[in-house]
């Protein structure tokens, strides 16, 4: 009898809305089975799961607050028990808020770090046994091109940028330590699916500085994730998806 080829399996955090939803959908269309995670977007991620199943994917849904480190380690444990090899982990879920630096308190800072840095750290640590069972395991972190290229002069999210800088450094550290078997990269979205609080004037100024002259889509980020998941000789790389903003 001919052996049935195993479908690759991916885990996507924050898969209920926006970029996470696009990543999960793109991976499903590429033939992945998925574990999709959400916290507050539970109804949305259930809807995503139903859509992905129509694309032929086997999908399981996990819900937890990534700010709770015990919930993160429990999540990793459930995935280890329920699944064999895991081929791809996409750390997409993130906390984000606009708060002036002078008003950021310890609780806000700690939650930002907990969701954006500590959760990926301990989720990946807990999933290492399942990643190592894969023939070509990969991790893709979602950071932010704003670390290098300001979108506007009105930045009021220092704790967010600090957390994304830490996640980018984790990307490089993991690439060195987990190679040669596990590849680790990051996608750094630029002006993609811009939040509603950005004014029309700020958008116009931003796109004037962007060589492609327009806003990117969540699907643009998802295609970059898929590329990195499949690129066998790419690790320790941060791929900017920013319309050329970094070249301006």
């Amino acid at each position: 009898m001919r052996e049935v080829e195993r479908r690759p399996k991916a885990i996507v955090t924050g898969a209920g809305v926006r970029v996470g939803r696009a990543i999960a959908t793109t991976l499903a269309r590429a033939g992945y089975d998925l574990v999709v995670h959400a916290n507050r977007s539970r109804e949305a991620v259930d809807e995503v799961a139903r859509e992905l199943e129509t694309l032929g994917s086997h999908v399981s849904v996990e819900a937890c607050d990534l700010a709770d480190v015990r919930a993160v380690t429990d999540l990793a444990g459930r995935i280890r028990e329920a699944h064999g090899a895991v081929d791809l982990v996409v750390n997409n879920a993130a906390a984000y808020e606009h708060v002036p630096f002078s008003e950021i308190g310890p609780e806000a800072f700690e939650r930002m770090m907990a969701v954006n840095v500590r959760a990926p750290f301990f989720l990946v640590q807990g999933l290492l046994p399942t990643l190592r069972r894969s023939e070509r395991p990969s991790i893709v972190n979602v950071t932010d091109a704003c670390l290098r290229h300001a979108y506007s002069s009105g930045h009021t999210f220092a704790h967010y940028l600090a957390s994304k800088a830490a996640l980018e450094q984790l990307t490089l550290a993991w690439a060195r330590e987990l190679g040669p078997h596990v590849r680790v990269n990051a996608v750094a979205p630029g002006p993609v699916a811009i939040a509603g609080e950005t004014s029309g004037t700020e958008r116009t100024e931003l796109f004037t500085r962007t060589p492609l002259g327009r806003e990117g889509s969540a699907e643009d980020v998802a295609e970059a994730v898929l590329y990195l998941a499949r690129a066998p000789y790419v690790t320790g790389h941060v791929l900017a998806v920013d319309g050329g903003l970094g070249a301006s």
Side-chain angles (χ1 to χ4, degrees), residues 43-134:
E43 289 186 9
V45 83
D46 286 339
E47 179 184 334
V48 170
R50 291 191 292 271
E51 291 177 358
L52 301 184
E53 286 172 346
T54 67
L55 298 174
S57 289
H58 180 272
V59 184
S60 58
V61 176
E62 291 284 353
C64 78
D65 181 359
L66 296 180
D68 182 345
V69 67
R70 179 167 292 182
V72 172
T73 56
D74 288 347
L75 171 61
R78 289 195 301 274
I79 294 172
R80 285 198 311 270
E81 292 178 6
H83 304 277
V86 168
D87 304 282
L88 173 64
V89 178
V90 182
N91 289 303
N92 164 75
Y96 175 85
E97 64 179 350
H98 277 275
V99 182
F101 171 65
S102 60
E103 299 175 14
I104 298 170
E107 289 186 3
F109 181 86
E110 288 170 8
R111 179 171 179 82
M112 192 69 65
M113 291 295 177
V115 174
N116 295 358
V117 185
R118 189 177 68 188
F121 187 101
F122 286 104
L123 180 62
V124 168
Q125 186 184 76
L127 293 174
L128 277 179
T130 57
L131 281 163
R132 286 171 171 155
R133 293 189 193 111
S134 169

Side-chain angles (χ1 to χ4, degrees), residues 143-151 160-166 168 188:
T143 62
D144 199 312
C146 198
L147 290 172
R148 296 174 180 80
H149 310 290
Y151 303 164
Y160 166 79
L161 290 178
S163 70
K164 287 298 187 179
E168 194 165 290

